[in-house]
Amino acid sequence: MIQDLFSPSVQHALDIVGIFVFAISGALLAVRKNFDVFGIAVLAEVTALGGGLIRDVVIGAVPPAAFTDLGYFITPLFAALLVFFLHPEVERTQLAVNVFDAAGLGLFCVTGTTKAYDYGLGLTASAALGLATAVGGGVLRDIIANEVPSLVRWDRDLYAVPAIVGSAMVALCINYDMVNAFTSSLAVVTAFVLRLLALRYHWRAPRAWHRRSTAVEVEDVASS
């Protein structure tokens, strides 16, 4: 199976790291929204596990891994407690959080694609679920926090595109029977680097050609 490219212990450790940093981002948003401790924990759990839950339910991998591995469930709670008590310090390490978040994005888009393919989906559907695994938790986080999801906001640095690139790379490697530990790692690194470059240079997706909307002015007024 493709998922056997990495040893179970390595795969589990990488998953835990990705879950932790995603949970940190969810908990930080909850603090900014003035949520109580329960709200912080909920947003941390949803952000960390939402994408994987969507993937597992779609492919029929039930019960989802989030409910069969206690470590997956406990890790976001630990991140929530960390942010609850130390959120000013965590905010000051936002650069490090962004770096780890980018690493989690790259990892999850690749593992999501390979797991979906292992469960019998086609290449396109597998890549789509790889994207869902990487960004699904963030979308659910923003919806619960009553925000327009960052995934579709023009004023946010590219997030989905790096995940799409990573998922597509894995799908192409599967198609040409080239998937192995090296090519999978290359896809992770590519998505990771693209996300960091987007953060560094504020790369954003283009909007509609010759658009006449006044949304820019509305956004500017709201942020001023």
Side-chain angles (χ1 to χ4, degrees), residues 39-172:
I40 294 172
V42 168
L43 219 57
E45 290 281 357
V46 167
T47 307
L49 304 177
L53 283 171
I54 293 171
R55 176 203 61 211
D56 288 351
V57 169
V58 170
I59 65 179
V62 291
F67 295 108
T68 59
D69 189 316
L70 188 60
Y72 286 7
F73 190 79
I74 294 297
T75 299
L77 295 180
F78 176 73
L81 283 175
L82 184 68
V83 171
F84 181 79
F85 288 108
L86 302 173
H87 64 88
E89 287 74 16
V90 175
E91 289 274 15
R92 284 197 288 270
T93 63
Q94 187 61 49
L95 177 60
V97 172
N98 287 339
V99 170
F100 283 112
D101 180 80
L105 180 80
L107 172 68
F108 283 1
C109 73
V110 171
T111 57
T113 302
T114 55
K115 185 170 183 177
Y117 186 78
D118 273 340
Y119 273 77
L121 271 65
L123 293 176
T124 301
S126 295
L129 274 184
L131 171 64
T133 304
V135 306
V139 171
L140 294 174
R141 172 200 65 204
D142 292 342
I143 291 173
I144 292 174
N146 197 29
E147 289 198 346
V148 176
S150 299
L151 183 69
V152 296
R153 288 185 58 171
W154 67 268
D155 59 339
R156 297 297 172 89
D157 302 326
L158 292 179
Y159 196 78
V161 171
I164 291 171
V165 171
S167 299
M169 287 178 64
V170 175
L172 286 173

